[in-house]
Amino acid sequence: LQSLTSEQVLARLDEAQIANARLNSPQEFWNHPQLAARNRKRTVDTPSGPIEALLPPIQLAGMEARMDAIPDVGEQSHDILIELGYDEKAIAAMKAGGAI
């Protein structure tokens, strides 16, 4: 196989009726016509500006997946630490120590 091109290998596998598939590059995957046909891309806000993102692979009929803005680094740290049980004094100490 080393001396053959990808096209030659695929042709030989097809001729021998051996199941095969080619792996898409990330760019080929992103530009795949099925993503457009199924309307799978959404614009999502980020701290650096809007980007295109793919919807999650599983979708419930009649329900649109949540595609919230992507938070900035540390933006949700306080809320997460509160949820984990840290009090304001402990969070202030973490901030003062540069941990968050």
Side-chain angles (χ1 to χ4, degrees):
L1 294 177
Q2 185 176 355
S3 64
L4 302 175
T5 67
S6 297
E7 292 78 20
Q8 290 170 325
V9 171
L10 293 174
R12 288 184 183 193
L13 290 170
D14 287 342
E15 185 179 322
Q17 297 182 343
I18 297 173
N20 65 84
R22 189 176 74 73
L23 182 63
N24 288 335
S25 71
Q27 193 63 41
E28 289 170 324
F29 172 78
W30 185 256
N31 293 327
H32 197 284
Q34 277 299 313
L35 292 176
R38 296 182 61 218
N39 193 27
R40 300 299 297 169
K41 294 180 184 177
R42 298 291 183 275
T43 300
V44 177
D45 289 326
T46 77
S48 299
I51 63 168
E52 273 193 315
L54 292 178
L55 287 169
I58 297 173
Q59 189 171 349
L60 300 175
M63 295 185 71
E64 178 77 12
R66 251 179 83 176
M67 298 292 284
D68 295 341
I70 297 170
D72 203 355
V73 174
E75 183 178 330
Q76 298 174 335
S77 296
H78 182 271
D79 294 339
I80 291 169
L81 291 169
I82 290 291
E83 190 171 323
L84 291 173
Y86 291 93
D87 61 21
E88 294 294 338
K89 184 177 178 181
I91 295 171
M94 285 186 235
K95 283 183 183 177
I100 57 171

